[in-house]
Amino acid sequence: VFSGSIQGATIVDALDSLYIMDMHDEFKAATDWVEKSLDFNVNAEISVFEVNIRFVGGLLSAYYLSGEEVFRKKAVELGEKLLPAFNTPTGIPWALLNIKSGIGRNWPWASGGSSILAEFGTLHLEFMHLSQLSGNPVFAEKVMNIRKVLNRLDKPQGLYPNYLNPNSGQWGQHHVSVGGLGDSFYEYLLKAWLMSDKTDEEGKKMYYDSIQAIESHLIRKSRGGFTYIAEWKGGLLEHKMGHLTCFAGGMFALGADGAPDEKTGHQMELAAEIARTCHESYSRTTLKLGPEAFRFDGGVEAIATRQNEKYFILRPEVIETYMYMWRFTHDPKYRQWGWEAVQALEQYCKVNGGYSGIRDVYASHPSHDDVQQSFFLAETLKYLYLLFSEDDHLPFEHWVFNTEAHPLPVIRKEDVKKPEV
Ligand code: DMJ
């Protein structure tokens, strides 16, 4: 569900999937809708992160794939609307922004008024492209400043806490996660380097240093031999892995090649182990779809033990990891695992008019939540499609996927726009 009142999240999130899947009529209808009805002049308090990854990312991809000017114009227009979020003493943006008044604030539940690592750390790719496409350096400056603030801070055990106060520039609670609240921050460090034609050495260093710390402090092996990524709370480990965390298999695989020579093989192994663990979380359920979070404590392995962690909301991360693993290894098991997921989605999630999330993946019959998240069309279906496509369909040498699976082209060294003087 997209909270806030910019309308059309599902249409905009699905644009590039329609294009990639050759659904020309539907793409044309969606383009017409964007042209006539996509409206940012609304009095709405929006999540800067969600609007960026779904709307800005979706519009940018639609532009780069189709060349239709309307998408470029709309992406830049929306990017400009987001700029007031950065009006804080440190330049670390607010999580929430009223796009009419330009007034921002943070989530009331976030530690001591903090901004969230995975939110302010997941603007980089889109904002670099906004500067590239508009010729206006302001977008790039905003996200480069976030890096500067982060690099000035001490990191506990080399780890990045999920909470950072935008007023004081100090960390909030020392909670660290490669799942919710942390996840795509790490992804964007790696992808910033890849998208810069491997010129962004700072992003590269931040990625490989953080992965090193994550490996030392968060990655563990269960008794049964499953590698998992735990959550870190002020030095104590919670032996729980979220569905969201399963994207890390794909990230480790994508980053393996750029790691120091002696670590490449190791990072690929880690990626394969995470893929296996996440597959296990699916195969240990009744409906063969994975729970929101699964645990490795109290005698269980890869199973949700709390009722409020047993749901499945059509999330993409496990399939995303299969897709990366397939591209890098061509081991047929990844297509087989993807196919198992397709069958379960068809059998248990398909409803009149679309696909629905499920309340409990261990129940013998699905109870539908009656929601089709926009990332189902943007990510889950796109990654499935690519898992069964040839490697030259959106090749990784040319495209980097934003965290909502919107492909953005690598900005070649020679094409970097210099601000006009
Ligand atoms: C998506 O919006 C993005 O993948 C984000 O990074 C995490 N959550 C959802 C999908 O689960």
Side-chain angles (χ1 to χ4, degrees):
V1 184
F2 189 76
S3 63
S5 52
I6 300 177
Q7 299 294 302
T10 295
I11 298 176
V12 176
D13 230 1
L15 281 166
D16 55 5
S17 295
L18 296 173
Y19 191 93
I20 291 161
M21 297 175 192
D22 286 329
M23 298 176 72
H24 304 291
D25 295 344
E26 292 82 355
F27 182 76
K28 172 82 183 59
T31 305
D32 287 348
W33 186 88
V34 168
E35 217 147 25
K36 295 195 189 97
S37 310
L38 181 58
D39 184 10
F40 305 132
N41 294 313
V42 287
N43 182 5
E45 186 177 51
I46 53 96
S47 153
V48 175
F49 159 78
E50 296 288 5
V51 164
N52 177 60
I53 66 170
R54 301 185 198 216
F55 283 89
V56 179
L59 291 166
L60 287 172
S61 284
Y63 172 69
Y64 282 116
L65 290 166
S66 72
E68 300 267 4
E69 178 63 16
V70 60
F71 298 126
R72 190 187 73 87
K73 228 182 84 221
K74 291 274 182 189
V76 175
E77 187 194 332
L78 181 53
E80 284 165 356
K81 289 255 173 208
L82 298 182
L83 289 174
F86 295 83
N87 294 338
T88 63
T90 55
I92 294 291
W94 300 113
L96 298 165
L97 177 72
N98 182 304
I99 51 172
K100 184 162 188 220
S101 66
I103 294 175
R105 65 179 176 120
N106 275 339
W107 299 106
W109 49 262
S111 165
S114 290
S115 301
I116 307 290
L117 184 69
E119 297 198 325
F120 65 76
T122 310
L123 305 168
H124 199 99
L125 304 183
E126 296 81 2
F127 275 53
M128 295 307 280
H129 268 292
L130 287 175
S131 278
Q132 182 71 11
L133 282 183
S134 65
N136 183 350
V138 68
F139 303 103
E141 285 163 10
K142 297 291 182 201
V143 288
M144 292 313 287
N145 175 62
I146 295 176
R147 287 259 189 97
K148 213 187 272 164
V149 175
L150 289 172
N151 281 324
R152 273 202 301 260
L153 283 165
D154 281 336
K155 284 158 258 322
Q157 319 281 349
L159 297 165
Y160 288 85
N162 293 335
Y163 301 103
L164 179 60
N165 189 304
N167 292 316
S168 64
Q170 298 302 314
W171 300 118
Q173 272 175 317
H174 284 192
H175 289 184
V176 179
S177 172
V178 185
L181 309 185
D183 49 8
S184 42
F185 162 70
Y186 304 98
E187 174 186 356
Y188 270 35
L189 294 175
L190 171 64
K191 290 181 176 176
W193 174 59
L194 295 173
M195 201 183 80
S196 72
D197 208 3
K198 304 193 177 170
T199 59
D200 179 1
E201 291 294 331
E202 182 183 54
K204 179 184 186 188
K205 179 168 176 3
M206 289 170 79
Y207 173 71
Y208 289 105
D209 286 353
S210 63
I211 289 313
Q212 188 62 44
I214 284 166
E215 216 188 322
S216 311
H217 300 288
L218 271 67
I219 300 191
R220 295 289 178 267
K221 199 170 235 166
S222 71
R223 286 212 182 134
F226 292 106
T227 300
Y228 62 96
I229 312 180
E231 310 255 319
W232 195 85
K233 299 203 164 153
L236 293 177
L237 279 190
E238 192 181 6
H239 297 271
K240 158 185 141 175
M241 181 160 173
H243 192 291
L244 289 165
T245 321
C246 287
F247 89 98
M251 178 176 74
F252 291 152
L254 183 66
D257 195 39
D261 281 351
E262 72 284 2
K263 296 207 172 125
T264 297
H266 172 67
Q267 296 210 358
M268 269 317 285
E269 275 162 34
L270 206 55
E273 286 179 35
I274 298 295
R276 185 171 82 95
T277 301
C278 291
H279 173 256
E280 197 66 18
S281 79
Y282 274 49
S283 64
R284 292 187 178 198
T285 69
T286 317
L287 302 181
K288 304 299 165 205
L289 294 163
E292 179 66 6
F294 43 96
R295 293 185 179 258
F296 297 86
D297 57 13
V300 306
E301 305 211 341
I303 287 180
T305 51
R306 303 188 184 182
Q307 196 53 40
N308 63 1
E309 294 173 346
K310 294 182 178 173
Y311 63 88
F312 170 71
I313 54 169
L314 306 170
R315 286 199 193 279
E317 292 77 16
V318 176
I319 289 162
E320 174 180 352
T321 281
Y322 296 162
M323 191 279 293
Y324 280 99
M325 292 308 294
W326 164 257
R327 283 256 178 125
F328 287 115
T329 67
H330 290 138
D331 183 330
K333 78 175 172 219
Y334 297 113
R335 279 189 165 172
Q336 189 196 315
W337 291 352
W339 191 243
E340 289 168 10
V342 169
Q343 287 174 308
L345 285 167
E346 287 296 299
Q347 199 174 345
Y348 303 120
C349 299
K350 196 170 186 161
V351 291
N352 284 336
Y355 289 78
S356 166
I358 287 174
R359 292 204 174 88
D360 181 351
V361 288
Y362 302 93
S364 47
H365 297 288
S367 161
H368 293 128
D369 67 9
D370 199 24
V371 176
Q372 178 181 288
Q373 301 277 346
S374 76
F375 51 68
F376 179 66
L377 303 184
E379 296 197 71
T380 313
L381 294 187
K382 189 186 288 126
Y383 285 135
L384 276 171
Y385 186 82
L386 293 176
L387 172 63
F388 292 97
S389 302
E390 297 300 322
D391 296 354
D392 59 5
H393 204 13
L394 297 174
F396 293 162
E397 305 85 73
H398 299 307
W399 297 93
V400 168
F401 291 85
N402 92 335
T403 195
E404 190 80 359
H406 296 305
L408 300 172
V410 170
I411 302 174
R412 297 288 161 209
K413 286 177 213 143
E414 53 279 15
D415 296 337
V416 175
K417 270 246 170 71
K418 298 269 175 338
E420 281 157 36
V421 268

PDB file of all heavy atoms in Angstrom, residues 7 10 42 52 71 78 107 123 133 143 148 158 166 199 205 212 236 269 273 297 323-324 330 362 373 392-393 408:
ATOM      1  N   GLN A   7      -1.271  10.000  -6.656  1.00  0.00           N
ATOM      2  CA  GLN A   7      -1.986   8.832  -7.179  1.00  0.00           C
ATOM      3  C   GLN A   7      -1.156   8.129  -8.250  1.00  0.00           C
ATOM      4  O   GLN A   7      -0.342   8.756  -8.929  1.00  0.00           O
ATOM      5  CB  GLN A   7      -3.327   9.270  -7.795  1.00  0.00           C
ATOM      6  CG  GLN A   7      -4.268   9.938  -6.794  1.00  0.00           C
ATOM      7  CD  GLN A   7      -4.728   8.968  -5.717  1.00  0.00           C
ATOM      8  OE1 GLN A   7      -5.307   7.937  -6.016  1.00  0.00           O
ATOM      9  NE2 GLN A   7      -4.444   9.305  -4.463  1.00  0.00           N
ATOM     10  N   THR A  10       0.931   2.239  -8.648  1.00  0.00           N
ATOM     11  CA  THR A  10       0.980   0.960  -9.358  1.00  0.00           C
ATOM     12  C   THR A  10       1.291   1.169 -10.841  1.00  0.00           C
ATOM     13  O   THR A  10       2.101   0.438 -11.421  1.00  0.00           O
ATOM     14  CB  THR A  10      -0.348   0.188  -9.159  1.00  0.00           C
ATOM     15  OG1 THR A  10      -0.448  -0.148  -7.767  1.00  0.00           O
ATOM     16  CG2 THR A  10      -0.379  -1.090  -9.980  1.00  0.00           C
ATOM     17  N   VAL A  42      -0.176  18.369  -5.243  1.00  0.00           N
ATOM     18  CA  VAL A  42      -1.193  17.941  -4.290  1.00  0.00           C
ATOM     19  C   VAL A  42      -0.723  18.277  -2.877  1.00  0.00           C
ATOM     20  O   VAL A  42       0.486  18.374  -2.625  1.00  0.00           O
ATOM     21  CB  VAL A  42      -1.448  16.412  -4.396  1.00  0.00           C
ATOM     22  CG1 VAL A  42      -2.213  16.090  -5.663  1.00  0.00           C
ATOM     23  CG2 VAL A  42      -0.145  15.615  -4.358  1.00  0.00           C
ATOM     24  N   ASN A  52      10.724   8.368  -3.976  1.00  0.00           N
ATOM     25  CA  ASN A  52      11.936   8.321  -4.795  1.00  0.00           C
ATOM     26  C   ASN A  52      12.089   6.970  -5.498  1.00  0.00           C
ATOM     27  O   ASN A  52      12.287   6.909  -6.703  1.00  0.00           O
ATOM     28  CB  ASN A  52      13.162   8.614  -3.938  1.00  0.00           C
ATOM     29  CG  ASN A  52      14.434   8.495  -4.757  1.00  0.00           C
ATOM     30  OD1 ASN A  52      14.629   9.204  -5.744  1.00  0.00           O
ATOM     31  ND2 ASN A  52      15.287   7.553  -4.396  1.00  0.00           N
ATOM     32  N   PHE A  71       8.460  11.402 -19.492  1.00  0.00           N
ATOM     33  CA  PHE A  71       8.972  10.747 -18.281  1.00  0.00           C
ATOM     34  C   PHE A  71      10.146  11.532 -17.685  1.00  0.00           C
ATOM     35  O   PHE A  71      10.283  11.637 -16.476  1.00  0.00           O
ATOM     36  CB  PHE A  71       9.387   9.306 -18.591  1.00  0.00           C
ATOM     37  CG  PHE A  71       8.242   8.442 -19.060  1.00  0.00           C
ATOM     38  CD1 PHE A  71       8.326   7.732 -20.255  1.00  0.00           C
ATOM     39  CD2 PHE A  71       7.083   8.337 -18.307  1.00  0.00           C
ATOM     40  CE1 PHE A  71       7.268   6.946 -20.690  1.00  0.00           C
ATOM     41  CE2 PHE A  71       6.020   7.547 -18.731  1.00  0.00           C
ATOM     42  CZ  PHE A  71       6.110   6.850 -19.933  1.00  0.00           C
ATOM     43  N   LEU A  78       9.353  16.009 -10.176  1.00  0.00           N
ATOM     44  CA  LEU A  78       9.150  15.371  -8.871  1.00  0.00           C
ATOM     45  C   LEU A  78      10.410  15.494  -8.012  1.00  0.00           C
ATOM     46  O   LEU A  78      10.331  15.762  -6.809  1.00  0.00           O
ATOM     47  CB  LEU A  78       8.770  13.897  -9.075  1.00  0.00           C
ATOM     48  CG  LEU A  78       8.492  13.093  -7.806  1.00  0.00           C
ATOM     49  CD1 LEU A  78       7.451  13.769  -6.917  1.00  0.00           C
ATOM     50  CD2 LEU A  78       8.030  11.680  -8.166  1.00  0.00           C
ATOM     51  N   TRP A 107       9.601  10.065  11.170  1.00  0.00           N
ATOM     52  CA  TRP A 107       8.594   9.141  11.693  1.00  0.00           C
ATOM     53  C   TRP A 107       8.557   9.280  13.212  1.00  0.00           C
ATOM     54  O   TRP A 107       9.614   9.265  13.861  1.00  0.00           O
ATOM     55  CB  TRP A 107       8.966   7.691  11.354  1.00  0.00           C
ATOM     56  CG  TRP A 107       9.045   7.388   9.898  1.00  0.00           C
ATOM     57  CD1 TRP A 107      10.183   7.201   9.171  1.00  0.00           C
ATOM     58  CD2 TRP A 107       7.952   7.215   8.979  1.00  0.00           C
ATOM     59  NE1 TRP A 107       9.871   6.925   7.855  1.00  0.00           N
ATOM     60  CE2 TRP A 107       8.500   6.931   7.708  1.00  0.00           C
ATOM     61  CE3 TRP A 107       6.554   7.273   9.106  1.00  0.00           C
ATOM     62  CZ2 TRP A 107       7.715   6.698   6.577  1.00  0.00           C
ATOM     63  CZ3 TRP A 107       5.776   7.048   7.977  1.00  0.00           C
ATOM     64  CH2 TRP A 107       6.351   6.765   6.739  1.00  0.00           C
ATOM     65  N   LEU A 123      18.762   7.229  -2.025  1.00  0.00           N
ATOM     66  CA  LEU A 123      18.377   8.305  -2.931  1.00  0.00           C
ATOM     67  C   LEU A 123      19.455   8.493  -3.989  1.00  0.00           C
ATOM     68  O   LEU A 123      19.246   9.146  -5.011  1.00  0.00           O
ATOM     69  CB  LEU A 123      18.222   9.618  -2.138  1.00  0.00           C
ATOM     70  CG  LEU A 123      17.259   9.589  -0.937  1.00  0.00           C
ATOM     71  CD1 LEU A 123      17.426  10.845  -0.089  1.00  0.00           C
ATOM     72  CD2 LEU A 123      15.819   9.467  -1.427  1.00  0.00           C
ATOM     73  N   LEU A 133      20.310  14.285 -16.052  1.00  0.00           N
ATOM     74  CA  LEU A 133      19.247  14.561 -17.036  1.00  0.00           C
ATOM     75  C   LEU A 133      18.818  16.021 -17.070  1.00  0.00           C
ATOM     76  O   LEU A 133      18.301  16.490 -18.070  1.00  0.00           O
ATOM     77  CB  LEU A 133      18.003  13.716 -16.722  1.00  0.00           C
ATOM     78  CG  LEU A 133      18.050  12.261 -17.134  1.00  0.00           C
ATOM     79  CD1 LEU A 133      16.711  11.604 -16.818  1.00  0.00           C
ATOM     80  CD2 LEU A 133      18.334  12.134 -18.623  1.00  0.00           C
ATOM     81  N   VAL A 143      22.989  14.346  -2.352  1.00  0.00           N
ATOM     82  CA  VAL A 143      23.309  12.977  -1.927  1.00  0.00           C
ATOM     83  C   VAL A 143      24.805  12.815  -1.610  1.00  0.00           C
ATOM     84  O   VAL A 143      25.170  12.005  -0.749  1.00  0.00           O
ATOM     85  CB  VAL A 143      22.812  11.907  -2.944  1.00  0.00           C
ATOM     86  CG1 VAL A 143      21.299  11.802  -2.888  1.00  0.00           C
ATOM     87  CG2 VAL A 143      23.294  12.153  -4.359  1.00  0.00           C
ATOM     88  N   LYS A 148      29.173  12.632   3.022  1.00  0.00           N
ATOM     89  CA  LYS A 148      30.143  13.397   3.808  1.00  0.00           C
ATOM     90  C   LYS A 148      29.806  13.297   5.295  1.00  0.00           C
ATOM     91  O   LYS A 148      30.681  13.067   6.136  1.00  0.00           O
ATOM     92  CB  LYS A 148      30.109  14.864   3.349  1.00  0.00           C
ATOM     93  CG  LYS A 148      31.472  15.529   3.447  1.00  0.00           C
ATOM     94  CD  LYS A 148      31.410  17.006   3.156  1.00  0.00           C
ATOM     95  CE  LYS A 148      31.569  17.318   1.670  1.00  0.00           C
ATOM     96  NZ  LYS A 148      31.117  18.708   1.360  1.00  0.00           N
ATOM     97  N   GLY A 158      32.611  -0.615  13.128  1.00  0.00           N
ATOM     98  CA  GLY A 158      32.601  -0.480  11.667  1.00  0.00           C
ATOM     99  C   GLY A 158      31.206  -0.610  11.072  1.00  0.00           C
ATOM    100  O   GLY A 158      31.045  -0.623   9.851  1.00  0.00           O
ATOM    101  N   PRO A 166      18.963  14.076  12.174  1.00  0.00           N
ATOM    102  CA  PRO A 166      19.308  15.084  11.154  1.00  0.00           C
ATOM    103  C   PRO A 166      19.626  16.454  11.748  1.00  0.00           C
ATOM    104  O   PRO A 166      20.198  17.295  11.064  1.00  0.00           O
ATOM    105  CB  PRO A 166      18.039  15.158  10.295  1.00  0.00           C
ATOM    106  CG  PRO A 166      16.929  14.757  11.210  1.00  0.00           C
ATOM    107  CD  PRO A 166      17.519  13.760  12.173  1.00  0.00           C
ATOM    108  N   THR A 199      33.845   4.597 -11.213  1.00  0.00           N
ATOM    109  CA  THR A 199      34.718   5.728 -10.872  1.00  0.00           C
ATOM    110  C   THR A 199      34.497   6.186  -9.420  1.00  0.00           C
ATOM    111  O   THR A 199      35.351   6.856  -8.858  1.00  0.00           O
ATOM    112  CB  THR A 199      34.441   6.943 -11.793  1.00  0.00           C
ATOM    113  OG1 THR A 199      33.078   7.313 -11.650  1.00  0.00           O
ATOM    114  CG2 THR A 199      34.736   6.618 -13.253  1.00  0.00           C
ATOM    115  N   LYS A 205      34.568   1.863  -1.549  1.00  0.00           N
ATOM    116  CA  LYS A 205      35.236   1.598  -0.263  1.00  0.00           C
ATOM    117  C   LYS A 205      34.206   1.445   0.865  1.00  0.00           C
ATOM    118  O   LYS A 205      34.303   0.530   1.690  1.00  0.00           O
ATOM    119  CB  LYS A 205      36.208   2.745   0.062  1.00  0.00           C
ATOM    120  CG  LYS A 205      36.916   2.547   1.389  1.00  0.00           C
ATOM    121  CD  LYS A 205      38.068   3.511   1.552  1.00  0.00           C
ATOM    122  CE  LYS A 205      38.764   3.425   2.911  1.00  0.00           C
ATOM    123  NZ  LYS A 205      38.346   2.430   3.872  1.00  0.00           N
ATOM    124  N   GLN A 212      32.475  -6.105   5.183  1.00  0.00           N
ATOM    125  CA  GLN A 212      33.450  -6.756   6.067  1.00  0.00           C
ATOM    126  C   GLN A 212      32.952  -6.767   7.516  1.00  0.00           C
ATOM    127  O   GLN A 212      32.981  -7.795   8.201  1.00  0.00           O
ATOM    128  CB  GLN A 212      34.771  -5.956   5.956  1.00  0.00           C
ATOM    129  CG  GLN A 212      35.949  -6.569   6.648  1.00  0.00           C
ATOM    130  CD  GLN A 212      36.303  -7.928   6.062  1.00  0.00           C
ATOM    131  OE1 GLN A 212      36.332  -8.084   4.840  1.00  0.00           O
ATOM    132  NE2 GLN A 212      36.524  -8.906   6.923  1.00  0.00           N
ATOM    133  N   LEU A 236      24.192  -6.954  20.943  1.00  0.00           N
ATOM    134  CA  LEU A 236      23.549  -8.267  21.109  1.00  0.00           C
ATOM    135  C   LEU A 236      22.902  -8.692  19.794  1.00  0.00           C
ATOM    136  O   LEU A 236      22.310  -7.872  19.096  1.00  0.00           O
ATOM    137  CB  LEU A 236      22.471  -8.204  22.192  1.00  0.00           C
ATOM    138  CG  LEU A 236      22.978  -7.976  23.618  1.00  0.00           C
ATOM    139  CD1 LEU A 236      21.800  -7.869  24.577  1.00  0.00           C
ATOM    140  CD2 LEU A 236      23.920  -9.110  24.037  1.00  0.00           C
ATOM    141  N   GLU A 269      30.324 -17.532  -2.568  1.00  0.00           N
ATOM    142  CA  GLU A 269      29.841 -18.634  -1.703  1.00  0.00           C
ATOM    143  C   GLU A 269      28.804 -18.129  -0.709  1.00  0.00           C
ATOM    144  O   GLU A 269      27.773 -18.765  -0.483  1.00  0.00           O
ATOM    145  CB  GLU A 269      31.001 -19.235  -0.898  1.00  0.00           C
ATOM    146  CG  GLU A 269      31.781 -20.294  -1.642  1.00  0.00           C
ATOM    147  CD  GLU A 269      33.146 -20.529  -0.996  1.00  0.00           C
ATOM    148  OE1 GLU A 269      33.263 -20.420   0.248  1.00  0.00           O
ATOM    149  OE2 GLU A 269      34.093 -20.789  -1.759  1.00  0.00           O
ATOM    150  N   GLU A 273      24.970 -19.260  -0.265  1.00  0.00           N
ATOM    151  CA  GLU A 273      24.446 -19.754   1.014  1.00  0.00           C
ATOM    152  C   GLU A 273      23.206 -18.975   1.444  1.00  0.00           C
ATOM    153  O   GLU A 273      22.250 -19.550   1.963  1.00  0.00           O
ATOM    154  CB  GLU A 273      25.528 -19.679   2.097  1.00  0.00           C
ATOM    155  CG  GLU A 273      26.574 -20.768   1.918  1.00  0.00           C
ATOM    156  CD  GLU A 273      27.669 -20.680   2.966  1.00  0.00           C
ATOM    157  OE1 GLU A 273      27.373 -20.314   4.115  1.00  0.00           O
ATOM    158  OE2 GLU A 273      28.828 -20.977   2.620  1.00  0.00           O
ATOM    159  N   ASP A 297      16.505 -19.672  16.464  1.00  0.00           N
ATOM    160  CA  ASP A 297      16.675 -19.766  17.912  1.00  0.00           C
ATOM    161  C   ASP A 297      15.565 -20.641  18.467  1.00  0.00           C
ATOM    162  O   ASP A 297      14.642 -21.030  17.727  1.00  0.00           O
ATOM    163  CB  ASP A 297      16.703 -18.378  18.579  1.00  0.00           C
ATOM    164  CG  ASP A 297      15.451 -17.568  18.283  1.00  0.00           C
ATOM    165  OD1 ASP A 297      14.459 -18.133  17.779  1.00  0.00           O
ATOM    166  OD2 ASP A 297      15.460 -16.357  18.546  1.00  0.00           O
ATOM    167  N   MET A 323      17.553 -14.501  -9.315  1.00  0.00           N
ATOM    168  CA  MET A 323      17.866 -13.936 -10.632  1.00  0.00           C
ATOM    169  C   MET A 323      19.363 -13.607 -10.738  1.00  0.00           C
ATOM    170  O   MET A 323      20.019 -13.960 -11.718  1.00  0.00           O
ATOM    171  CB  MET A 323      16.999 -12.691 -10.863  1.00  0.00           C
ATOM    172  CG  MET A 323      17.013 -12.153 -12.281  1.00  0.00           C
ATOM    173  SD  MET A 323      18.417 -11.115 -12.711  1.00  0.00           S
ATOM    174  CE  MET A 323      18.164  -9.680 -11.685  1.00  0.00           C
ATOM    175  N   TYR A 324      19.897 -12.959  -9.702  1.00  0.00           N
ATOM    176  CA  TYR A 324      21.338 -12.644  -9.743  1.00  0.00           C
ATOM    177  C   TYR A 324      22.160 -13.923  -9.748  1.00  0.00           C
ATOM    178  O   TYR A 324      23.138 -14.047 -10.493  1.00  0.00           O
ATOM    179  CB  TYR A 324      21.730 -11.766  -8.546  1.00  0.00           C
ATOM    180  CG  TYR A 324      21.384 -10.300  -8.739  1.00  0.00           C
ATOM    181  CD1 TYR A 324      20.239  -9.745  -8.174  1.00  0.00           C
ATOM    182  CD2 TYR A 324      22.208  -9.472  -9.496  1.00  0.00           C
ATOM    183  CE1 TYR A 324      19.914  -8.411  -8.355  1.00  0.00           C
ATOM    184  CE2 TYR A 324      21.895  -8.128  -9.680  1.00  0.00           C
ATOM    185  CZ  TYR A 324      20.746  -7.609  -9.118  1.00  0.00           C
ATOM    186  OH  TYR A 324      20.432  -6.282  -9.315  1.00  0.00           O
ATOM    187  N   HIS A 330      24.546 -19.691 -13.640  1.00  0.00           N
ATOM    188  CA  HIS A 330      23.769 -20.571 -14.545  1.00  0.00           C
ATOM    189  C   HIS A 330      23.515 -21.956 -13.946  1.00  0.00           C
ATOM    190  O   HIS A 330      23.341 -22.933 -14.680  1.00  0.00           O
ATOM    191  CB  HIS A 330      24.423 -20.670 -15.935  1.00  0.00           C
ATOM    192  CG  HIS A 330      24.310 -19.381 -16.671  1.00  0.00           C
ATOM    193  ND1 HIS A 330      25.321 -18.845 -17.408  1.00  0.00           N
ATOM    194  CD2 HIS A 330      23.284 -18.495 -16.750  1.00  0.00           C
ATOM    195  CE1 HIS A 330      24.939 -17.667 -17.906  1.00  0.00           C
ATOM    196  NE2 HIS A 330      23.711 -17.448 -17.523  1.00  0.00           N
ATOM    197  N   TYR A 362       1.891 -20.676   6.824  1.00  0.00           N
ATOM    198  CA  TYR A 362       1.905 -22.027   7.413  1.00  0.00           C
ATOM    199  C   TYR A 362       0.485 -22.608   7.513  1.00  0.00           C
ATOM    200  O   TYR A 362       0.321 -23.759   7.914  1.00  0.00           O
ATOM    201  CB  TYR A 362       2.554 -22.008   8.798  1.00  0.00           C
ATOM    202  CG  TYR A 362       3.979 -21.483   8.755  1.00  0.00           C
ATOM    203  CD1 TYR A 362       4.254 -20.142   8.978  1.00  0.00           C
ATOM    204  CD2 TYR A 362       5.035 -22.344   8.440  1.00  0.00           C
ATOM    205  CE1 TYR A 362       5.553 -19.652   8.909  1.00  0.00           C
ATOM    206  CE2 TYR A 362       6.339 -21.866   8.372  1.00  0.00           C
ATOM    207  CZ  TYR A 362       6.586 -20.522   8.607  1.00  0.00           C
ATOM    208  OH  TYR A 362       7.865 -20.050   8.528  1.00  0.00           O
ATOM    209  N   GLN A 373       0.610  -5.159  -3.602  1.00  0.00           N
ATOM    210  CA  GLN A 373       1.628  -4.110  -3.467  1.00  0.00           C
ATOM    211  C   GLN A 373       2.160  -3.728  -4.847  1.00  0.00           C
ATOM    212  O   GLN A 373       2.322  -4.585  -5.709  1.00  0.00           O
ATOM    213  CB  GLN A 373       2.794  -4.642  -2.632  1.00  0.00           C
ATOM    214  CG  GLN A 373       2.418  -5.103  -1.242  1.00  0.00           C
ATOM    215  CD  GLN A 373       2.353  -3.970  -0.245  1.00  0.00           C
ATOM    216  OE1 GLN A 373       2.835  -2.867  -0.502  1.00  0.00           O
ATOM    217  NE2 GLN A 373       1.761  -4.229   0.899  1.00  0.00           N
ATOM    218  N   ASP A 392      21.429 -11.277 -22.109  1.00  0.00           N
ATOM    219  CA  ASP A 392      21.617  -9.981 -22.784  1.00  0.00           C
ATOM    220  C   ASP A 392      20.355  -9.118 -22.733  1.00  0.00           C
ATOM    221  O   ASP A 392      20.303  -8.046 -23.320  1.00  0.00           O
ATOM    222  CB  ASP A 392      22.108 -10.177 -24.227  1.00  0.00           C
ATOM    223  CG  ASP A 392      21.136 -11.008 -25.049  1.00  0.00           C
ATOM    224  OD1 ASP A 392      20.045 -11.350 -24.531  1.00  0.00           O
ATOM    225  OD2 ASP A 392      21.469 -11.315 -26.204  1.00  0.00           O
ATOM    226  N   HIS A 393      19.338  -9.587 -22.033  1.00  0.00           N
ATOM    227  CA  HIS A 393      18.163  -8.748 -21.804  1.00  0.00           C
ATOM    228  C   HIS A 393      18.468  -7.912 -20.558  1.00  0.00           C
ATOM    229  O   HIS A 393      18.540  -8.439 -19.459  1.00  0.00           O
ATOM    230  CB  HIS A 393      16.950  -9.649 -21.573  1.00  0.00           C
ATOM    231  CG  HIS A 393      15.646  -8.985 -21.893  1.00  0.00           C
ATOM    232  ND1 HIS A 393      15.560  -7.802 -22.588  1.00  0.00           N
ATOM    233  CD2 HIS A 393      14.355  -9.339 -21.626  1.00  0.00           C
ATOM    234  CE1 HIS A 393      14.294  -7.458 -22.723  1.00  0.00           C
ATOM    235  NE2 HIS A 393      13.540  -8.369 -22.147  1.00  0.00           N
ATOM    236  N   LEU A 408      18.492   1.493 -14.361  1.00  0.00           N
ATOM    237  CA  LEU A 408      19.084   2.795 -14.686  1.00  0.00           C
ATOM    238  C   LEU A 408      20.398   2.539 -15.407  1.00  0.00           C
ATOM    239  O   LEU A 408      21.158   1.657 -15.000  1.00  0.00           O
ATOM    240  CB  LEU A 408      19.357   3.586 -13.390  1.00  0.00           C
ATOM    241  CG  LEU A 408      18.132   3.882 -12.526  1.00  0.00           C
ATOM    242  CD1 LEU A 408      18.546   4.485 -11.186  1.00  0.00           C
ATOM    243  CD2 LEU A 408      17.174   4.819 -13.269  1.00  0.00           C
TER     244      LEU A 408
END
